[in-house]
Amino acid sequence: MENLENIKNRAEKELVSAQNSEEIKKVFRKYLGKDGEITRILRSLKDIQEQKRKAVGKSANQIKQELEQKIEIKKKAISAVIEKGKSKKQMDISRPGHKISIGHIHPITKVKKEVEDIFERLGFSVVEGPEVETEWYNFDALNIPANHPARDMWDTFWLRQNESKVQNPKSKINTKSQRLLLRTHTSPVQVRYMEKHNPPLRIIVPGRTFRYEATDASHEINFYQAEGLMVDKEISAANLKAIMEKFFEMFFKQNVGIRLRPSFFPFTEPSFEVDVQCVVCKGKGCSVCSKRGWLEMAGAGMVHPQVFKSAGLNPREWQGFAFGMGLDRLAMMKYKIDDIRLLYKGDLRFLEQF
Ligand code: DAH
């Protein structure tokens, strides 16, 4: 019995100081293995005197069980430490981290910046105007009087407002023209700018515009335009054509053919549509240009005398050209996008391609 107690103490001590699974196995083998000290005692029970056998057997079995339990516990503790160590090893602090996605510029913004850059290089200043506009600047000042059928060219979002706020007794403009709307084009900024700046002048006005209309692949209720205006003593349609040609060449980074087609706008005389030879098929005809070989990119013309008058300038003294082009159109051409609505959906599968 004394010997058993001794064995137990030694075994427990050795187990406590065991550092790894190999050392635990050693303790197991030494005491509980085939030739282990406790195993041997249990095996030799039959040689012990009858009176002692029962007590020794009981005690030896108890010690065996206890030791087995302690070994199990120690094994678990050691493997937990090993696991922890492993996961520590996997952290490599020199490894580059995950890049945080911060988004990027929207294709329309990209095109807007490119257009601004090109026109700045051609001597134009970038100017802005309000998106909430008065009826006067959006229509009347541009030679589009109330009740004139030309207004039908622009389906308008009107803003409801308090009638008393509309009254402005000092204004020469009739109160009706003070009604507010979401600008249907960037052209009102022509008048706003010429009221405050004397020619000669060259401006480009990029901005958001709105139309009250049904949406489809080529129509949205809001879109972007860039208005251009150049005023001096002697400006002709030849200057307009040269600037347009230069711009499209710089924007598409290739020689593109352009043509001016007669058209009508109340604020220009004469008026044109500016067509660009399809950059996809080079004028042969394809699905992008609906087999026409040409794409309508802008409205343009020579500034109407009435517009100069609206801005307080003498039309006998000044001449100019103006144009308005769709930035969405430009983006769609440049990146071969076939549906304008994709630009406003915020669908990441689309946006992440740019
Ligand atoms: N404002 C016109 C539109 O949105 C486009 C336009 C045509 C602008 C001729 C111009 C111009 O400056 O001269 O339909």
Side-chain angles (χ1 to χ4, degrees):
M1 287 297 265
E2 225 171 87
N3 196 21
L4 263 176
E5 205 52 36
N6 194 315
I7 291 172
K8 183 187 168 199
N9 288 340
R10 265 193 292 122
E12 279 176 359
K13 240 191 197 160
E14 282 167 37
L15 189 61
V16 167
S17 55
Q19 295 291 335
N20 52 44
S21 55
E22 206 38 62
E23 284 172 19
I24 296 175
K25 265 187 204 153
K26 239 189 227 163
V27 176
F28 179 87
R29 257 183 260 122
K30 186 169 170 189
Y31 297 98
L32 300 174
K34 256 191 211 158
D35 203 27
E37 290 183 39
I38 295 174
T39 315
R40 259 188 281 146
I41 290 175
L42 284 168
R43 219 185 282 138
S44 64
L45 279 179
K46 54 183 188 308
D47 306 327
I48 297 175
Q49 292 173 345
E50 274 234 46
Q51 315 100 288
K52 282 192 192 164
R53 192 186 294 162
K54 214 174 166 187
V56 172
K58 195 178 166 195
S59 180
N61 267 317
Q62 208 176 336
I63 291 170
K64 183 190 167 193
Q65 267 173 26
E66 273 176 30
L67 195 57
E68 273 171 355
Q69 264 174 18
K70 282 183 178 156
I71 284 176
E72 243 358 88
I73 290 167
K74 180 89 185 188
K75 262 192 197 162
K76 275 188 191 142
I78 291 262
S79 59
V81 170
I82 289 170
E83 281 307 310
K84 217 170 150 193
K86 259 194 204 159
S87 61
K88 251 187 212 156
K89 256 184 220 147
Q90 268 168 3
M91 193 170 92
D92 174 359
I93 56 162
S94 68
R95 207 172 126 180
H98 289 294
K99 217 174 177 183
I100 295 167
S101 164
I102 53 163
H104 58 79
I105 303 274
H106 189 278
I108 297 260
T109 312
K110 228 166 161 173
V111 164
K112 176 174 164 267
K113 281 191 177 159
E114 274 174 44
V115 170
E116 287 172 3
D117 276 359
I118 293 171
F119 278 104
E120 278 181 334
R121 279 151 73 192
L122 297 174
F124 286 68
S125 320
V126 178
V127 171
E128 284 188 341
E131 288 172 5
V132 172
E133 188 52 283
T134 62
E135 181 176 8
W136 164 258
Y137 284 110
N138 197 81
F139 291 124
D140 304 65
L142 294 169
N143 197 29
I144 317 166
N147 307 318
H148 193 282
R151 284 212 178 177
D152 296 346
M153 289 168 79
W154 295 275
D155 299 295
T156 309
F157 283 114
W158 292 93
L159 299 179
R160 205 206 307 224
Q161 61 204 301
N162 193 335
E163 282 298 320
S164 64
K165 278 195 191 146
V166 173
Q167 305 293 339
N168 181 357
K170 278 190 200 144
S171 170
K172 284 186 292 214
I173 304 157
N174 69 43
T175 51
K176 210 171 158 226
S177 309
Q178 297 285 341
R179 287 191 298 177
L180 294 178
L181 48 80
L182 295 181
R183 66 175 176 194
T184 58
H185 48 185
T186 43
S187 303
V189 189
Q190 288 186 27
V191 178
R192 282 187 176 276
Y193 190 80
M194 287 193 288
E195 278 178 340
K196 298 217 171 96
H197 302 81
N198 285 324
L201 55 88
R202 270 178 280 184
I203 57 164
I204 184 90
V205 190
R208 192 175 175 192
T209 49
F210 309 82
R211 301 258 171 106
Y212 175 58
E213 58 191 358
T215 57
D216 63 30
S218 48
H219 295 87
E220 250 299 355
I221 56 158
N222 84 164
F223 55 100
Y224 285 80
Q225 285 191 336
E227 190 82 9
L229 176 68
M230 179 168 183
V231 179
D232 208 328
K233 294 279 178 194
E234 278 175 41
I235 295 284
S236 75
N239 300 116
L240 166 67
K241 188 162 186 240
I243 290 284
M244 288 284 98
E245 241 160 18
K246 192 78 205 154
F247 166 73
F248 287 115
E249 182 192 312
M250 287 164 90
F251 183 79
F252 289 114
K253 298 191 173 65
Q254 55 183 285
N255 267 322
V256 285
I258 74 156
R259 70 179 183 191
L260 301 186
R261 250 184 317 119
S263 184
F264 169 74
F265 296 102
F267 34 91
T268 43
E269 180 59 34
S271 304
F272 313 103
E273 296 290 342
V274 184
D275 289 351
V276 173
Q277 204 163 46
C278 179
V279 291
V280 177
C281 64
K282 304 258 185 295
K284 284 194 204 83
C286 67
S287 62
V288 175
C289 58
S290 339
K291 302 255 187 308
R292 280 192 284 259
W294 295 89
L295 289 150
E296 202 180 298
M297 294 307 262
M302 303 307 296
V303 179
H304 195 286
Q306 200 56 45
V307 177
F308 284 128
K309 279 188 202 160
S310 299
L313 293 176
N314 182 356
R316 294 190 181 282
E317 209 178 325
W318 301 107
Q319 295 182 320
F321 68 73
F323 59 84
M325 57 186 159
L327 293 180
D328 305 71
R329 259 287 159 88
L330 282 178
M332 289 167 78
M333 265 309 285
K334 187 154 199 167
Y335 302 117
K336 308 201 169 48
I337 299 164
D338 60 6
D339 194 325
I340 188 174
R341 293 168 293 190
L342 288 167
L343 293 166
Y344 300 96
K345 267 193 182 148
D347 187 333
L348 290 178
R349 289 168 302 178
F350 168 74
L351 293 173
E352 280 171 356
Q353 295 175 50
F354 296 93

Short mmCIF file of all heavy atoms in Angstrom, two decimals, residues 241-276:
data_model
loop_
_atom_site.label_atom_id
_atom_site.label_comp_id
_atom_site.label_asym_id
_atom_site.label_seq_id
_atom_site.Cartn_x
_atom_site.Cartn_y
_atom_site.Cartn_z
N LYS A 241 -18.41 74.93 -86.53
CA LYS A 241 -18.05 73.64 -87.11
C LYS A 241 -16.62 73.26 -86.70
O LYS A 241 -16.36 72.10 -86.33
CB LYS A 241 -18.17 73.69 -88.64
CG LYS A 241 -18.00 72.32 -89.25
CD LYS A 241 -18.53 72.23 -90.67
CE LYS A 241 -18.46 70.78 -91.15
NZ LYS A 241 -17.64 70.59 -92.34
N ALA A 242 -15.71 74.23 -86.74
CA ALA A 242 -14.32 73.95 -86.40
C ALA A 242 -14.18 73.48 -84.94
O ALA A 242 -13.48 72.51 -84.64
CB ALA A 242 -13.45 75.19 -86.63
N ILE A 243 -14.89 74.19 -84.05
CA ILE A 243 -14.82 73.83 -82.61
C ILE A 243 -15.41 72.43 -82.39
O ILE A 243 -14.86 71.60 -81.67
CB ILE A 243 -15.56 74.88 -81.75
CG1 ILE A 243 -14.79 76.21 -81.75
CG2 ILE A 243 -15.79 74.38 -80.33
CD1 ILE A 243 -13.55 76.25 -80.86
N MET A 244 -16.55 72.18 -83.05
CA MET A 244 -17.20 70.86 -82.90
C MET A 244 -16.29 69.75 -83.39
O MET A 244 -16.11 68.73 -82.74
CB MET A 244 -18.52 70.82 -83.70
CG MET A 244 -19.63 71.66 -83.11
SD MET A 244 -20.41 70.89 -81.68
CE MET A 244 -19.60 71.68 -80.36
N GLU A 245 -15.68 69.98 -84.55
CA GLU A 245 -14.78 68.98 -85.14
C GLU A 245 -13.61 68.69 -84.20
O GLU A 245 -13.29 67.54 -83.92
CB GLU A 245 -14.23 69.51 -86.47
CG GLU A 245 -14.60 68.67 -87.66
CD GLU A 245 -14.46 69.45 -88.97
OE1 GLU A 245 -13.76 70.51 -88.99
OE2 GLU A 245 -15.06 69.02 -89.96
N LYS A 246 -13.03 69.77 -83.70
CA LYS A 246 -11.87 69.63 -82.81
C LYS A 246 -12.28 68.88 -81.54
O LYS A 246 -11.57 67.98 -81.09
CB LYS A 246 -11.34 71.03 -82.46
CG LYS A 246 -10.00 71.03 -81.80
CD LYS A 246 -8.91 70.82 -82.83
CE LYS A 246 -7.67 70.22 -82.20
NZ LYS A 246 -6.86 69.46 -83.15
N PHE A 247 -13.43 69.26 -81.01
CA PHE A 247 -13.87 68.62 -79.77
C PHE A 247 -14.06 67.11 -79.96
O PHE A 247 -13.52 66.31 -79.19
CB PHE A 247 -15.18 69.23 -79.24
CG PHE A 247 -15.81 68.36 -78.18
CD1 PHE A 247 -15.26 68.30 -76.90
CD2 PHE A 247 -16.89 67.54 -78.47
CE1 PHE A 247 -15.79 67.46 -75.92
CE2 PHE A 247 -17.43 66.69 -77.50
CZ PHE A 247 -16.88 66.65 -76.22
N PHE A 248 -14.80 66.71 -80.97
CA PHE A 248 -15.08 65.28 -81.14
C PHE A 248 -13.82 64.49 -81.45
O PHE A 248 -13.67 63.35 -81.02
CB PHE A 248 -16.15 65.06 -82.22
CG PHE A 248 -17.53 65.44 -81.74
CD1 PHE A 248 -18.22 66.50 -82.31
CD2 PHE A 248 -18.13 64.74 -80.69
CE1 PHE A 248 -19.48 66.86 -81.85
CE2 PHE A 248 -19.39 65.10 -80.23
CZ PHE A 248 -20.06 66.17 -80.81
N GLU A 249 -12.90 65.14 -82.17
CA GLU A 249 -11.63 64.48 -82.47
C GLU A 249 -10.86 64.22 -81.16
O GLU A 249 -10.31 63.14 -80.93
CB GLU A 249 -10.82 65.39 -83.40
CG GLU A 249 -9.49 64.84 -83.84
CD GLU A 249 -8.64 65.93 -84.50
OE1 GLU A 249 -9.16 66.65 -85.38
OE2 GLU A 249 -7.47 66.07 -84.10
N MET A 250 -10.85 65.22 -80.28
CA MET A 250 -10.14 65.07 -79.01
C MET A 250 -10.86 64.09 -78.08
O MET A 250 -10.24 63.33 -77.36
CB MET A 250 -9.97 66.43 -78.32
CG MET A 250 -8.92 67.31 -79.00
SD MET A 250 -9.06 69.04 -78.52
CE MET A 250 -7.97 69.11 -77.10
N PHE A 251 -12.17 64.12 -78.11
CA PHE A 251 -12.94 63.26 -77.20
C PHE A 251 -12.85 61.79 -77.60
O PHE A 251 -12.62 60.93 -76.75
CB PHE A 251 -14.41 63.71 -77.18
CG PHE A 251 -15.25 62.91 -76.20
CD1 PHE A 251 -15.21 63.18 -74.84
CD2 PHE A 251 -16.06 61.87 -76.65
CE1 PHE A 251 -15.96 62.45 -73.94
CE2 PHE A 251 -16.83 61.12 -75.75
CZ PHE A 251 -16.77 61.41 -74.39
N PHE A 252 -13.00 61.50 -78.89
CA PHE A 252 -12.96 60.10 -79.33
C PHE A 252 -11.54 59.65 -79.68
O PHE A 252 -11.33 58.51 -80.07
CB PHE A 252 -13.91 59.87 -80.51
CG PHE A 252 -15.36 59.92 -80.11
CD1 PHE A 252 -16.20 60.93 -80.57
CD2 PHE A 252 -15.90 58.95 -79.26
CE1 PHE A 252 -17.53 60.97 -80.19
CE2 PHE A 252 -17.24 58.99 -78.88
CZ PHE A 252 -18.05 60.00 -79.35
N LYS A 253 -10.58 60.60 -79.57
CA LYS A 253 -9.17 60.31 -79.85
C LYS A 253 -8.97 59.71 -81.25
O LYS A 253 -8.19 58.77 -81.44
CB LYS A 253 -8.58 59.38 -78.78
CG LYS A 253 -8.60 60.03 -77.39
CD LYS A 253 -7.79 59.24 -76.40
CE LYS A 253 -7.65 59.94 -75.07
NZ LYS A 253 -8.94 60.11 -74.34
N GLN A 254 -9.72 60.19 -82.21
CA GLN A 254 -9.54 59.77 -83.60
C GLN A 254 -10.20 60.82 -84.50
O GLN A 254 -11.00 61.61 -84.03
CB GLN A 254 -10.17 58.40 -83.84
CG GLN A 254 -11.64 58.32 -83.44
CD GLN A 254 -12.23 56.94 -83.62
OE1 GLN A 254 -12.51 56.53 -84.73
NE2 GLN A 254 -12.41 56.22 -82.52
N ASN A 255 -9.83 60.80 -85.76
CA ASN A 255 -10.46 61.72 -86.71
C ASN A 255 -11.88 61.28 -86.96
O ASN A 255 -12.11 60.17 -87.42
CB ASN A 255 -9.69 61.70 -88.03
CG ASN A 255 -8.64 62.79 -88.06
OD1 ASN A 255 -8.88 63.90 -87.55
ND2 ASN A 255 -7.48 62.49 -88.61
N VAL A 256 -12.86 62.14 -86.62
CA VAL A 256 -14.25 61.76 -86.87
C VAL A 256 -14.87 62.78 -87.81
O VAL A 256 -14.62 63.97 -87.71
CB VAL A 256 -15.08 61.68 -85.57
CG1 VAL A 256 -14.74 60.44 -84.78
CG2 VAL A 256 -14.90 62.92 -84.71
N GLY A 257 -15.68 62.28 -88.72
CA GLY A 257 -16.38 63.19 -89.61
C GLY A 257 -17.57 63.78 -88.87
O GLY A 257 -18.19 63.12 -88.05
N ILE A 258 -17.85 65.07 -89.10
CA ILE A 258 -19.09 65.64 -88.54
C ILE A 258 -19.87 66.32 -89.66
O ILE A 258 -19.31 66.66 -90.70
CB ILE A 258 -18.83 66.64 -87.38
CG1 ILE A 258 -18.31 67.98 -87.89
CG2 ILE A 258 -17.92 66.05 -86.32
CD1 ILE A 258 -18.62 69.09 -86.89
N ARG A 259 -21.16 66.49 -89.45
CA ARG A 259 -21.95 67.23 -90.43
C ARG A 259 -23.00 68.06 -89.69
O ARG A 259 -23.47 67.67 -88.61
CB ARG A 259 -22.61 66.30 -91.45
CG ARG A 259 -23.70 65.46 -90.86
CD ARG A 259 -24.36 64.56 -91.91
NE ARG A 259 -25.46 63.82 -91.30
CZ ARG A 259 -26.09 62.81 -91.87
NH1 ARG A 259 -25.73 62.38 -93.07
NH2 ARG A 259 -27.09 62.20 -91.26
N LEU A 260 -23.32 69.21 -90.27
CA LEU A 260 -24.37 70.05 -89.70
C LEU A 260 -25.62 69.88 -90.56
O LEU A 260 -25.57 70.06 -91.77
CB LEU A 260 -23.94 71.52 -89.72
CG LEU A 260 -22.66 71.88 -88.96
CD1 LEU A 260 -22.46 73.41 -88.96
CD2 LEU A 260 -22.70 71.39 -87.52
N ARG A 261 -26.72 69.51 -89.89
CA ARG A 261 -27.99 69.34 -90.60
C ARG A 261 -28.91 70.47 -90.20
O ARG A 261 -28.98 70.81 -89.03
CB ARG A 261 -28.63 68.03 -90.16
CG ARG A 261 -28.63 66.96 -91.23
CD ARG A 261 -29.36 65.71 -90.78
NE ARG A 261 -29.09 65.28 -89.42
CZ ARG A 261 -30.03 65.19 -88.48
NH1 ARG A 261 -31.28 65.53 -88.73
NH2 ARG A 261 -29.72 64.76 -87.28
N PRO A 262 -29.66 71.06 -91.15
CA PRO A 262 -30.58 72.13 -90.78
C PRO A 262 -31.61 71.63 -89.77
O PRO A 262 -32.04 70.49 -89.84
CB PRO A 262 -31.29 72.47 -92.09
CG PRO A 262 -30.46 71.90 -93.16
CD PRO A 262 -29.73 70.73 -92.58
N SER A 263 -31.94 72.48 -88.79
CA SER A 263 -32.90 72.09 -87.76
C SER A 263 -33.62 73.32 -87.27
O SER A 263 -33.48 74.40 -87.85
CB SER A 263 -32.15 71.39 -86.64
OG SER A 263 -33.06 70.90 -85.67
N PHE A 264 -34.37 73.18 -86.19
CA PHE A 264 -35.02 74.36 -85.62
C PHE A 264 -34.90 74.40 -84.12
O PHE A 264 -35.19 73.43 -83.42
CB PHE A 264 -36.51 74.40 -86.00
CG PHE A 264 -37.26 75.43 -85.21
CD1 PHE A 264 -37.11 76.79 -85.49
CD2 PHE A 264 -38.06 75.07 -84.12
CE1 PHE A 264 -37.77 77.76 -84.73
CE2 PHE A 264 -38.72 76.04 -83.37
CZ PHE A 264 -38.57 77.39 -83.67
N PHE A 265 -34.42 75.52 -83.60
CA PHE A 265 -34.51 75.84 -82.17
C PHE A 265 -34.90 77.31 -82.09
O PHE A 265 -34.38 78.12 -82.88
CB PHE A 265 -33.16 75.62 -81.46
CG PHE A 265 -32.73 74.18 -81.47
CD1 PHE A 265 -31.76 73.74 -82.36
CD2 PHE A 265 -33.29 73.26 -80.59
CE1 PHE A 265 -31.38 72.40 -82.39
CE2 PHE A 265 -32.91 71.93 -80.61
CZ PHE A 265 -31.95 71.50 -81.52
N PRO A 266 -35.78 77.68 -81.17
CA PRO A 266 -36.23 79.09 -81.12
C PRO A 266 -35.10 80.05 -80.76
O PRO A 266 -35.21 81.24 -81.06
CB PRO A 266 -37.29 79.06 -80.00
CG PRO A 266 -37.70 77.63 -79.86
CD PRO A 266 -36.48 76.83 -80.20
N PHE A 267 -34.04 79.55 -80.11
CA PHE A 267 -32.99 80.46 -79.63
C PHE A 267 -31.78 80.52 -80.55
O PHE A 267 -30.75 81.08 -80.20
CB PHE A 267 -32.56 80.06 -78.21
CG PHE A 267 -32.61 78.57 -77.95
CD1 PHE A 267 -31.50 77.78 -78.18
CD2 PHE A 267 -33.78 77.99 -77.49
CE1 PHE A 267 -31.57 76.41 -77.95
CE2 PHE A 267 -33.85 76.62 -77.26
CZ PHE A 267 -32.76 75.82 -77.48
N THR A 268 -31.89 79.92 -81.73
CA THR A 268 -30.79 80.03 -82.70
C THR A 268 -31.37 80.27 -84.08
O THR A 268 -32.47 79.84 -84.41
CB THR A 268 -29.95 78.73 -82.74
OG1 THR A 268 -30.81 77.61 -82.71
CG2 THR A 268 -28.96 78.67 -81.60
N GLU A 269 -30.60 80.96 -84.92
CA GLU A 269 -31.01 81.20 -86.31
C GLU A 269 -29.76 81.47 -87.13
O GLU A 269 -29.11 82.49 -86.91
CB GLU A 269 -32.00 82.37 -86.37
CG GLU A 269 -32.47 82.70 -87.76
CD GLU A 269 -33.16 81.54 -88.47
OE1 GLU A 269 -33.83 80.75 -87.77
OE2 GLU A 269 -33.01 81.42 -89.68
N PRO A 270 -29.36 80.60 -88.05
CA PRO A 270 -29.97 79.29 -88.31
C PRO A 270 -29.64 78.26 -87.21
O PRO A 270 -28.75 78.50 -86.40
CB PRO A 270 -29.30 78.87 -89.63
CG PRO A 270 -27.97 79.55 -89.61
CD PRO A 270 -28.18 80.85 -88.90
N SER A 271 -30.39 77.14 -87.25
CA SER A 271 -30.17 76.07 -86.26
C SER A 271 -29.68 74.81 -86.97
O SER A 271 -30.01 74.58 -88.13
CB SER A 271 -31.47 75.75 -85.54
OG SER A 271 -32.03 76.91 -84.94
N PHE A 272 -28.92 74.02 -86.22
CA PHE A 272 -28.39 72.76 -86.78
C PHE A 272 -28.51 71.62 -85.79
O PHE A 272 -28.60 71.84 -84.59
CB PHE A 272 -26.89 72.87 -87.11
CG PHE A 272 -26.51 74.11 -87.84
CD1 PHE A 272 -25.88 75.17 -87.18
CD2 PHE A 272 -26.73 74.21 -89.21
CE1 PHE A 272 -25.51 76.32 -87.87
CE2 PHE A 272 -26.35 75.35 -89.90
CZ PHE A 272 -25.74 76.41 -89.23
N GLU A 273 -28.47 70.42 -86.36
CA GLU A 273 -28.16 69.24 -85.56
C GLU A 273 -26.73 68.88 -85.93
O GLU A 273 -26.38 68.89 -87.11
CB GLU A 273 -29.06 68.04 -85.94
CG GLU A 273 -30.54 68.24 -85.68
CD GLU A 273 -30.92 68.26 -84.22
OE1 GLU A 273 -30.13 67.78 -83.38
OE2 GLU A 273 -32.02 68.76 -83.92
N VAL A 274 -25.91 68.59 -84.92
CA VAL A 274 -24.54 68.18 -85.20
C VAL A 274 -24.49 66.66 -85.17
O VAL A 274 -24.77 66.05 -84.14
CB VAL A 274 -23.55 68.77 -84.18
CG1 VAL A 274 -22.12 68.40 -84.55
CG2 VAL A 274 -23.72 70.27 -84.09
N ASP A 275 -24.18 66.06 -86.31
CA ASP A 275 -24.05 64.60 -86.39
C ASP A 275 -22.57 64.23 -86.42
O ASP A 275 -21.76 64.94 -87.02
CB ASP A 275 -24.70 64.07 -87.68
CG ASP A 275 -26.22 64.16 -87.63
OD1 ASP A 275 -26.76 64.47 -86.55
OD2 ASP A 275 -26.85 63.93 -88.69
N VAL A 276 -22.26 63.12 -85.79
CA VAL A 276 -20.88 62.60 -85.81
C VAL A 276 -20.94 61.26 -86.52
O VAL A 276 -21.85 60.47 -86.30
CB VAL A 276 -20.35 62.42 -84.38
CG1 VAL A 276 -18.99 61.73 -84.38
CG2 VAL A 276 -20.25 63.76 -83.68
#
